[in-house]
Coordinates of all heavy atoms in Angstrom, one line a residue:
M258 N 0.8 -1.2 0.0 CA 0.0 0.0 0.0 C 0.9 1.2 0.0 O 1.9 1.3 0.8 CB -0.9 0.0 1.3 CG -2.2 0.7 1.1 SD -3.3 0.6 2.5 CE -3.7 -1.1 2.5
A259 N 0.5 2.2 -0.8 CA 1.3 3.4 -0.9 C 1.1 4.3 0.3 O 0.0 4.3 0.9 CB 0.9 4.2 -2.1
P260 N 2.2 5.0 0.8 CA 2.0 5.8 2.0 C 1.1 7.0 1.8 O 1.0 7.5 0.7 CB 3.5 6.3 2.2 CG 4.4 5.5 1.4 CD 3.5 4.9 0.3
I261 N 0.3 7.3 2.8 CA -0.6 8.4 2.9 C 0.3 9.7 3.1 O 0.0 10.7 2.5 CB -1.6 8.3 4.0 CG1 -2.5 7.0 3.7 CG2 -2.5 9.5 4.1 CD1 -3.4 6.7 4.9
G262 N 1.3 9.5 3.9 CA 2.2 10.6 4.3 C 2.9 10.3 5.6 O 2.7 9.3 6.2
S263 N 3.8 11.1 5.9 CA 4.5 11.0 7.2 C 3.6 11.3 8.4 O 2.6 12.0 8.2 CB 5.8 11.9 7.3 OG 5.4 13.2 7.4
R264 N 3.9 10.8 9.5 CA 3.0 11.1 10.7 C 3.0 12.6 10.9 O 1.9 13.2 11.2 CB 3.6 10.4 11.9 CG 3.4 8.9 11.9 CD 4.0 8.3 13.1 NE 3.2 8.2 14.3 CZ 2.2 7.4 14.5 NH1 2.0 6.4 13.6 NH2 1.5 7.4 15.6
R265 N 4.1 13.3 10.7 CA 4.1 14.7 10.9 C 3.2 15.4 9.9 O 2.5 16.3 10.3 CB 5.6 15.2 10.7 CG 5.7 16.7 10.9 CD 7.1 17.2 10.8 NE 7.8 16.7 11.9 CZ 9.1 16.8 12.0 NH1 9.9 17.4 11.1 NH2 9.8 16.3 13.1
E266 N 3.2 15.0 8.7 CA 2.4 15.6 7.6 C 0.9 15.4 7.9 O 0.1 16.3 7.8 CB 2.7 15.1 6.3 CG 4.0 15.5 5.7 CD 4.4 14.6 4.5 OE1 3.9 13.5 4.3 OE2 5.3 15.1 3.7
I267 N 0.6 14.2 8.3 CA -0.8 13.8 8.6 C -1.3 14.6 9.8 O -2.4 15.1 9.8 CB -1.0 12.3 8.8 CG1 -0.8 11.6 7.5 CG2 -2.3 11.9 9.5 CD1 -0.6 10.1 7.6
L268 N -0.5 14.7 10.9 CA -0.9 15.4 12.1 C -1.1 16.9 11.7 O -2.1 17.5 12.2 CB 0.1 15.2 13.2 CG 0.1 13.8 13.8 CD1 1.3 13.7 14.7 CD2 -1.1 13.5 14.6
A269 N -0.3 17.5 10.9 CA -0.4 18.9 10.6 C -1.7 19.1 9.7 O -2.4 20.1 10.0 CB 0.8 19.3 9.8
T270 N -1.9 18.2 8.8 CA -3.2 18.4 8.0 C -4.4 18.2 8.8 O -5.3 19.1 8.7 CB -3.2 17.3 6.9 OG1 -2.0 17.5 6.0 CG2 -4.5 17.3 6.1
L271 N -4.4 17.2 9.7 CA -5.6 17.0 10.5 C -5.8 18.1 11.6 O -6.9 18.4 12.0 CB -5.6 15.6 11.1 CG -5.8 14.5 10.1 CD1 -5.6 13.1 10.7 CD2 -7.1 14.6 9.4
H272 N -4.7 18.6 12.1 CA -4.7 19.7 13.1 C -5.5 20.9 12.5 O -6.2 21.6 13.2 CB -3.3 20.1 13.5 CG -3.3 21.3 14.4 ND1 -3.6 21.1 15.8 CD2 -3.0 22.6 14.3 CE1 -3.5 22.3 16.4 NE2 -3.1 23.2 15.5
S273 N -5.3 21.2 11.2 CA -6.0 22.3 10.6 C -7.5 22.0 10.4 O -8.2 23.0 10.2 CB -5.4 22.6 9.2 OG -5.7 21.6 8.3
L274 N -7.9 20.8 10.7 CA -9.3 20.4 10.7 C -9.8 20.1 12.1 O -10.7 19.4 12.3 CB -9.5 19.2 9.7 CG -9.3 19.5 8.3 CD1 -9.1 18.3 7.5 CD2 -10.4 20.4 7.7
N275 N -9.1 20.7 13.1 CA -9.5 20.5 14.5 C -9.5 19.1 15.0 O -10.4 18.6 15.7 CB -10.9 21.2 14.7 CG -11.1 21.4 16.2 OD1 -10.2 21.6 17.0 ND2 -12.4 21.4 16.6
T276 N -8.5 18.3 14.5 CA -8.4 16.9 14.8 C -7.0 16.6 15.2 O -6.0 17.0 14.5 CB -8.8 16.0 13.6 OG1 -10.1 16.3 13.3 CG2 -8.7 14.6 13.9
G277 N -6.8 16.0 16.4 CA -5.5 15.7 16.9 C -5.5 14.8 18.1 O -6.6 14.5 18.7
P278 N -4.3 14.4 18.6 CA -4.3 13.6 19.8 C -4.5 14.4 21.1 O -4.3 15.7 21.1 CB -2.8 13.1 19.8 CG -2.1 14.1 19.1 CD -3.0 14.7 18.1
Q279 N -5.0 13.8 22.1 CA -5.2 14.5 23.4 C -3.8 14.9 24.0 O -3.7 16.0 24.5 CB -6.0 13.7 24.4 CG -7.4 13.6 24.1 CD -8.2 12.9 25.1 OE1 -7.7 12.1 25.9 NE2 -9.5 13.1 25.1
L280 N -2.9 14.0 23.9 CA -1.5 14.2 24.3 C -0.5 13.9 23.2 O -0.7 13.0 22.4 CB -1.1 13.3 25.5 CG -2.0 13.5 26.8 CD1 -1.7 12.4 27.8 CD2 -1.8 14.9 27.4
E281 N 0.5 14.7 23.1 CA 1.5 14.6 22.0 C 2.0 13.2 22.0 O 2.3 12.6 23.1 CB 2.6 15.6 22.2 CG 3.6 15.6 21.1 CD 4.6 16.7 21.2 OE1 4.3 17.7 21.8 OE2 5.7 16.5 20.6
G282 N 2.1 12.6 20.8 CA 2.7 11.2 20.7 C 1.7 10.1 20.7 O 2.0 9.0 20.5
E283 N 0.4 10.4 21.1 CA -0.6 9.4 21.1 C -1.0 9.0 19.7 O -0.9 9.8 18.8 CB -1.8 9.8 21.9 CG -1.6 9.9 23.4 CD -2.8 10.3 24.2 OE1 -3.8 10.9 23.6 OE2 -2.8 9.9 25.4
D284 N -1.5 7.8 19.5 CA -1.9 7.3 18.2 C -3.4 7.5 17.9 O -3.8 7.2 16.8 CB -1.5 5.8 18.1 CG -0.1 5.5 18.2 OD1 0.7 6.3 17.6 OD2 0.3 4.5 18.8
I285 N -4.2 7.9 18.8 CA -5.6 8.2 18.6 C -5.8 9.7 18.5 O -5.4 10.4 19.4 CB -6.5 7.5 19.7 CG1 -6.3 6.0 19.7 CG2 -8.0 7.9 19.4 CD1 -7.1 5.3 20.8
L286 N -6.4 10.1 17.4 CA -6.7 11.5 17.1 C -8.2 11.7 17.3 O -9.0 10.9 16.8 CB -6.3 11.9 15.7 CG -4.9 11.4 15.3 CD1 -4.6 11.8 13.8 CD2 -3.8 11.9 16.2
Y287 N -8.5 12.8 17.9 CA -9.9 13.1 18.2 C -10.3 14.4 17.4 O -9.6 15.4 17.4 CB -10.2 13.3 19.7 CG -9.8 12.1 20.5 CD1 -8.6 11.9 21.0 CD2 -10.8 11.1 20.7 CE1 -8.3 10.8 21.7 CE2 -10.5 10.0 21.4 CZ -9.2 9.8 21.9 OH -8.9 8.7 22.7
G288 N -11.5 14.4 16.8 CA -12.0 15.5 16.1 C -13.5 15.6 16.4 O -14.1 14.7 17.0
P289 N -14.2 16.6 15.9 CA -15.6 16.7 16.1 C -16.3 15.5 15.5 O -16.3 15.4 14.2 CB -16.0 18.0 15.4 CG -14.7 18.8 15.3 CD -13.6 17.8 15.2
G290 N -16.9 14.6 16.3 CA -17.6 13.5 15.8 C -16.9 12.3 15.2 O -17.5 11.4 14.7
I291 N -15.5 12.4 15.3 CA -14.7 11.3 14.8 C -13.5 10.9 15.7 O -13.1 11.7 16.5 CB -14.2 11.6 13.4 CG1 -13.2 12.8 13.4 CG2 -15.3 11.8 12.4 CD1 -12.4 13.0 12.2
E292 N -13.0 9.7 15.5 CA -11.7 9.3 16.1 C -10.9 8.7 14.9 O -11.5 8.0 14.1 CB -11.9 8.3 17.2 CG -12.5 8.8 18.4 CD -12.7 7.7 19.5 OE1 -12.1 6.6 19.3 OE2 -13.4 7.9 20.5
I293 N -9.7 8.9 14.9 CA -8.8 8.3 13.9 C -7.6 7.6 14.6 O -7.0 8.3 15.4 CB -8.2 9.4 12.9 CG1 -9.4 10.1 12.1 CG2 -7.2 8.7 11.9 CD1 -8.9 11.2 11.2
E294 N -7.5 6.4 14.3 CA -6.4 5.6 14.9 C -5.2 5.5 13.9 O -5.4 5.0 12.8 CB -6.9 4.2 15.3 CG -7.9 4.2 16.4 CD -8.3 2.8 16.8 OE1 -7.4 1.9 16.8 OE2 -9.5 2.6 17.0
L295 N -4.1 5.9 14.3 CA -2.9 5.7 13.5 C -2.2 4.4 13.9 O -2.2 4.1 15.1 CB -1.9 6.9 13.7 CG -2.4 8.3 13.3 CD1 -1.3 9.3 13.8 CD2 -2.6 8.4 11.9
P296 N -1.6 3.7 13.0 CA -0.9 2.5 13.4 C 0.3 2.9 14.3 O 1.1 3.7 13.9 CB -0.4 1.9 12.1 CG -0.6 2.9 11.0 CD -1.5 4.0 11.6
P297 N 0.5 2.2 15.4 CA 1.6 2.5 16.4 C 2.9 2.4 15.7 O 3.2 1.3 15.1 CB 1.4 1.5 17.5 CG 0.0 1.0 17.4 CD -0.4 1.1 15.9
G298 N 3.7 3.4 15.8 CA 5.1 3.4 15.3 C 5.4 3.4 13.8 O 6.5 3.4 13.4
L299 N 4.3 3.3 13.0 CA 4.5 3.2 11.6 C 4.7 4.6 11.0 O 3.9 5.5 11.2 CB 3.3 2.5 10.9 CG 3.4 2.2 9.4 CD1 4.6 1.3 9.2 CD2 2.1 1.6 8.9
D300 N 5.8 4.8 10.3 CA 6.1 6.1 9.6 C 6.9 5.8 8.4 O 8.0 5.3 8.5 CB 6.8 7.0 10.6 CG 6.7 8.5 10.1 OD1 6.1 8.8 9.1 OD2 7.3 9.3 10.8
P301 N 6.4 6.1 7.2 CA 5.2 6.8 6.9 C 4.0 5.9 7.1 O 4.1 4.7 7.2 CB 5.4 7.1 5.4 CG 6.3 6.1 4.8 CD 7.2 5.7 6.0
V302 N 2.8 6.5 7.2 CA 1.6 5.9 7.5 C 1.0 5.4 6.1 O 0.9 6.2 5.2 CB 0.6 6.8 8.2 CG1 -0.8 6.2 8.4 CG2 1.2 7.3 9.6
T303 N 0.5 4.2 6.1 CA -0.1 3.6 4.9 C -1.6 3.5 5.0 O -2.3 3.4 4.0 CB 0.5 2.3 4.5 OG1 0.4 1.4 5.6 CG2 2.0 2.4 4.1
Q304 N -2.1 3.4 6.3 CA -3.6 3.4 6.5 C -3.9 3.8 7.9 O -3.1 3.8 8.8 CB -4.1 2.0 6.2 CG -3.6 0.9 7.1 CD -4.1 -0.5 6.8 OE1 -5.1 -0.6 6.1 NE2 -3.5 -1.5 7.3
M305 N -5.1 4.2 8.1 CA -5.6 4.7 9.4 C -7.1 4.2 9.5 O -7.7 3.8 8.5 CB -5.7 6.2 9.4 CG -4.3 6.9 9.2 SD -4.5 8.7 9.2 CE -5.1 9.0 7.6
L306 N -7.5 4.1 10.7 CA -8.9 3.7 11.0 C -9.7 4.8 11.5 O -9.3 5.4 12.6 CB -8.9 2.5 12.0 CG -10.3 2.0 12.4 CD1 -11.0 1.4 11.2 CD2 -10.2 1.0 13.5
M307 N -10.8 5.2 10.8 CA -11.6 6.4 11.2 C -12.9 5.8 11.7 O -13.5 5.0 11.1 CB -11.8 7.3 10.1 CG -12.6 8.6 10.5 SD -13.0 9.8 9.2 CE -11.7 9.7 8.1
K308 N -13.3 6.3 12.9 CA -14.6 5.9 13.5 C -15.5 7.1 13.6 O -15.0 8.2 14.0 CB -14.4 5.3 14.9 CG -13.6 4.1 14.9 CD -13.4 3.6 16.4 CE -12.5 2.5 16.5 NZ -12.2 2.1 17.9
L309 N -16.7 7.0 13.3 CA -17.7 8.0 13.4 C -18.3 7.9 14.9 O -18.8 6.8 15.2 CB -18.9 7.8 12.4 CG -19.9 8.9 12.3 CD1 -19.3 10.2 11.9 CD2 -21.0 8.4 11.3
T310 N -18.1 8.9 15.7 CA -18.6 8.9 17.1 C -19.8 9.7 17.3 O -20.5 9.6 18.3 CB -17.5 9.3 18.0 OG1 -17.0 10.6 17.7 CG2 -16.3 8.4 18.0
D311 N -20.1 10.6 16.4 CA -21.3 11.5 16.5 C -21.8 11.8 15.1 O -21.2 12.6 14.4 CB -21.0 12.7 17.3 CG -22.2 13.7 17.5 OD1 -23.2 13.5 16.8 OD2 -22.1 14.6 18.3
E312 N -22.9 11.2 14.7 CA -23.3 11.4 13.3 C -23.8 12.8 13.0 O -23.7 13.2 11.9 CB -24.5 10.4 13.0 CG -23.9 9.0 12.8 CD -24.9 8.1 12.2 OE1 -25.7 8.6 11.3 OE2 -24.9 6.9 12.5
D313 N -24.2 13.5 14.0 CA -24.7 14.9 13.8 C -23.6 15.8 13.2 O -23.9 16.7 12.4 CB -25.3 15.5 15.1 CG -26.6 14.9 15.5 OD1 -27.3 14.3 14.6 OD2 -26.9 14.9 16.6
V314 N -22.4 15.6 13.7 CA -21.3 16.5 13.2 C -20.2 15.8 12.5 O -19.4 16.3 11.7 CB -20.6 17.3 14.4 CG1 -21.6 18.3 15.0 CG2 -20.0 16.4 15.5
G315 N -20.0 14.5 12.7 CA -18.9 13.7 12.2 C -18.9 13.6 10.7 O -17.8 13.7 10.0
W316 N -20.1 13.5 10.0 CA -20.1 13.4 8.5 C -19.6 14.7 7.9 O -18.9 14.7 6.9 CB -21.5 13.1 8.0 CG -21.7 11.6 8.2 CD1 -22.6 11.0 9.0 CD2 -21.1 10.5 7.5 NE1 -22.6 9.6 8.9 CE2 -21.6 9.3 7.9 CE3 -20.0 10.5 6.5 CZ2 -21.2 8.1 7.5 CZ3 -19.6 9.2 6.1 CH2 -20.2 8.1 6.6
D317 N -19.8 15.8 8.5 CA -19.3 17.1 8.0 C -17.8 17.1 8.1 O -17.1 17.6 7.2 CB -19.9 18.3 8.7 CG -21.4 18.5 8.3 OD1 -21.8 18.1 7.2 OD2 -22.1 19.1 9.2
V318 N -17.3 16.6 9.1 CA -15.8 16.6 9.3 C -15.2 15.6 8.3 O -14.2 15.9 7.7 CB -15.4 16.2 10.8 CG1 -13.9 16.0 11.0 CG2 -16.0 17.2 11.8
I319 N -15.8 14.4 8.1 CA -15.3 13.5 7.2 C -15.3 14.1 5.8 O -14.3 13.9 5.0 CB -16.1 12.2 7.2 CG1 -15.9 11.4 8.6 CG2 -15.8 11.3 6.0 CD1 -16.8 10.3 8.8
R320 N -16.4 14.8 5.4 CA -16.4 15.4 4.1 C -15.3 16.5 4.0 O -14.6 16.5 2.9 CB -17.7 16.1 3.9 CG -18.8 15.1 3.5 CD -20.1 15.9 3.2 NE -21.2 14.9 3.2 CZ -22.0 14.6 4.2 NH1 -21.9 15.3 5.3 NH2 -23.0 13.7 4.1
A321 N -15.1 17.2 5.0 CA -14.0 18.2 5.0 C -12.6 17.6 4.8 O -11.8 18.0 4.0 CB -14.0 19.1 6.2
I322 N -12.4 16.5 5.5 CA -11.1 15.7 5.4 C -11.0 15.2 4.0 O -9.9 15.3 3.4 CB -11.0 14.6 6.4 CG1 -10.9 15.2 7.8 CG2 -9.9 13.6 6.1 CD1 -11.0 14.1 9.0
A323 N -12.0 14.6 3.4 CA -12.0 14.1 2.1 C -11.7 15.1 1.0 O -10.9 14.9 0.1 CB -13.3 13.4 1.7
H324 N -12.3 16.3 1.2 CA -12.1 17.4 0.2 C -10.7 18.0 0.3 O -10.1 18.3 -0.7 CB -13.1 18.5 0.4 CG -14.5 18.1 -0.1 ND1 -14.8 17.9 -1.4 CD2 -15.7 18.0 0.6 CE1 -16.1 17.6 -1.5 NE2 -16.6 17.6 -0.3
R325 N -10.2 18.1 1.5 CA -8.9 18.7 1.7 C -7.8 17.8 1.3 O -6.8 18.2 0.8 CB -8.8 19.1 3.2 CG -7.4 19.6 3.7 CD -7.2 21.1 3.7 NE -8.2 21.9 4.1 CZ -8.3 22.5 5.3 NH1 -7.4 22.2 6.3 NH2 -9.3 23.3 5.6
T326 N -7.9 16.5 1.6 CA -6.8 15.6 1.5 C -6.8 14.7 0.2 O -5.8 14.2 -0.2 CB -6.7 14.6 2.7 OG1 -7.9 13.8 2.7 CG2 -6.6 15.4 4.0
H327 N -8.0 14.4 -0.3 CA -8.2 13.5 -1.4 C -7.8 12.1 -1.1 O -7.4 11.3 -1.9 CB -7.5 14.0 -2.7 CG -7.9 15.4 -3.1 ND1 -9.2 15.6 -3.6 CD2 -7.3 16.6 -3.0 CE1 -9.3 16.9 -3.9 NE2 -8.2 17.5 -3.5
W328 N -7.8 11.8 0.2 CA -7.5 10.4 0.7 C -8.6 9.4 0.2 O -9.8 9.8 0.1 CB -7.3 10.3 2.2 CG -6.2 11.0 2.7 CD1 -5.0 11.4 2.1 CD2 -6.0 11.5 4.1 NE1 -4.2 12.0 2.9 CE2 -4.7 12.1 4.1 CE3 -6.8 11.5 5.2 CZ2 -4.2 12.7 5.3 CZ3 -6.3 12.0 6.4 CH2 -5.0 12.6 6.4
K329 N -8.2 8.2 0.0 CA -9.2 7.2 -0.3 C -9.9 6.7 1.0 O -9.2 6.4 2.0 CB -8.5 6.0 -1.0 CG -9.4 4.8 -1.3 CD -8.7 3.7 -2.0 CE -9.6 2.5 -2.3 NZ -8.8 1.5 -2.9
L330 N -11.2 6.8 1.1 CA -11.9 6.4 2.2 C -12.7 5.1 1.9 O -13.5 5.1 0.9 CB -12.9 7.5 2.7 CG -12.3 8.8 3.0 CD1 -13.4 9.8 3.3 CD2 -11.3 8.7 4.1
L331 N -12.5 4.0 2.7 CA -13.0 2.7 2.4 C -13.8 2.3 3.6 O -13.3 2.3 4.7 CB -11.9 1.7 2.1 CG -12.3 0.3 1.8 CD1 -13.0 0.2 0.4 CD2 -11.1 -0.6 1.8
D332 N -15.1 1.9 3.4 CA -15.9 1.3 4.4 C -15.5 -0.1 4.6 O -15.8 -1.0 3.7 CB -17.4 1.5 4.1 CG -18.3 0.9 5.1 OD1 -17.9 0.2 6.1 OD2 -19.5 1.1 5.0
P333 N -14.9 -0.5 5.7 CA -14.4 -1.9 5.9 C -15.6 -2.9 6.0 O -15.4 -4.1 5.8 CB -13.6 -1.8 7.2 CG -14.0 -0.7 7.9 CD -14.5 0.3 6.9
M334 N -16.7 -2.4 6.4 CA -17.9 -3.3 6.6 C -18.4 -3.8 5.2 O -18.8 -4.9 5.1 CB -19.0 -2.7 7.4 CG -18.5 -2.3 8.8 SD -18.0 -3.7 9.8 CE -19.5 -4.4 10.2
S335 N -18.5 -2.9 4.3 CA -19.1 -3.2 3.0 C -18.1 -3.4 1.9 O -18.3 -3.9 0.9 CB -20.1 -2.1 2.6 OG -19.3 -0.9 2.3
G336 N -16.8 -2.9 2.1 CA -15.8 -2.9 1.1 C -15.9 -1.8 0.1 O -15.2 -1.8 -0.9
R337 N -16.9 -0.9 0.3 CA -17.2 0.1 -0.7 C -16.3 1.3 -0.4 O -16.0 1.7 0.7 CB -18.6 0.6 -0.7 CG -19.6 -0.4 -1.1 CD -21.0 0.1 -1.2 NE -21.2 0.9 0.1 CZ -22.3 1.6 0.3 NH1 -23.3 1.6 -0.6 NH2 -22.5 2.2 1.4
E338 N -15.8 2.0 -1.5 CA -15.0 3.2 -1.4 C -16.0 4.3 -1.3 O -17.0 4.4 -2.1 CB -14.1 3.4 -2.6 CG -13.3 4.6 -2.5 CD -12.3 4.7 -3.7 OE1 -12.0 3.7 -4.3 OE2 -11.9 5.9 -4.0
L339 N -15.8 5.2 -0.3 CA -16.7 6.4 -0.2 C -16.1 7.5 -1.0 O -15.0 7.9 -0.9 CB -16.7 6.8 1.3 CG -17.2 5.7 2.3 CD1 -17.1 6.2 3.7 CD2 -18.6 5.2 1.9
R340 N -17.0 8.0 -1.9 CA -16.6 9.1 -2.8 C -17.3 10.4 -2.3 O -18.5 10.5 -2.6 CB -16.9 8.8 -4.2 CG -16.1 7.6 -4.7 CD -16.3 7.5 -6.2 NE -15.6 6.3 -6.6 CZ -14.3 6.2 -7.1 NH1 -13.6 7.3 -7.1 NH2 -13.8 5.1 -7.4
L341 N -16.6 11.2 -1.5 CA -17.2 12.4 -1.0 C -16.7 13.7 -1.6 O -17.2 14.7 -1.3 CB -17.0 12.5 0.5 CG -17.5 11.3 1.3 CD1 -17.0 11.4 2.8 CD2 -19.0 11.2 1.3
G342 N -15.7 13.6 -2.5 CA -15.1 14.7 -3.1 C -15.8 15.2 -4.3 O -16.8 14.8 -4.8

């Protein structure tokens, strides 16, 4: 799998979308209505797990992330790629 980016790049991008770890160095990032798990110790990052924690605000954040980053978003339950851009 091709790298998404370095941990530093990913953290900087998500920080601009109000998403980040509670404490520096943690692998779980929190944003409005979402959580993103980074693989521990992996750099560059090739995949992340995003969880929707609040549907009222989370989908807007996911759309903003998709538009800003153009990352591939895949629903692991259905195997479908989400096209939000």
Side-chain angles (χ1 to χ4, degrees):
M258 206 177 293
I261 298 168
S263 71
R264 289 176 85 81
R265 180 180 292 173
E266 292 167 337
I267 290 169
L268 289 171
T270 298
L271 292 173
H272 177 76
S273 70
L274 293 162
N275 196 28
T276 302
Q279 286 186 339
L280 299 172
E281 188 173 332
E283 289 185 336
D284 295 322
I285 299 178
L286 313 178
Y287 300 92
I291 63 166
E292 290 180 11
I293 298 175
E294 294 182 40
L295 298 173
L299 186 62
D300 196 3
V302 175
T303 57
Q304 62 182 344
M305 302 176 281
L306 178 63
M307 184 182 326
K308 297 178 187 175
L309 186 63
T310 58
D311 181 344
E312 289 196 30
D313 290 337
V314 296
W316 281 112
D317 290 334
V318 175
I319 291 170
R320 282 186 195 93
I322 289 171
H324 288 295
R325 172 95 41 100
T326 65
H327 304 287
W328 292 338
K329 179 179 178 181
L330 302 176
L331 180 71
D332 179 350
M334 300 301 284
S335 69
R337 293 183 316 172
E338 184 177 335
L339 303 177
R340 296 188 184 270
L341 302 172

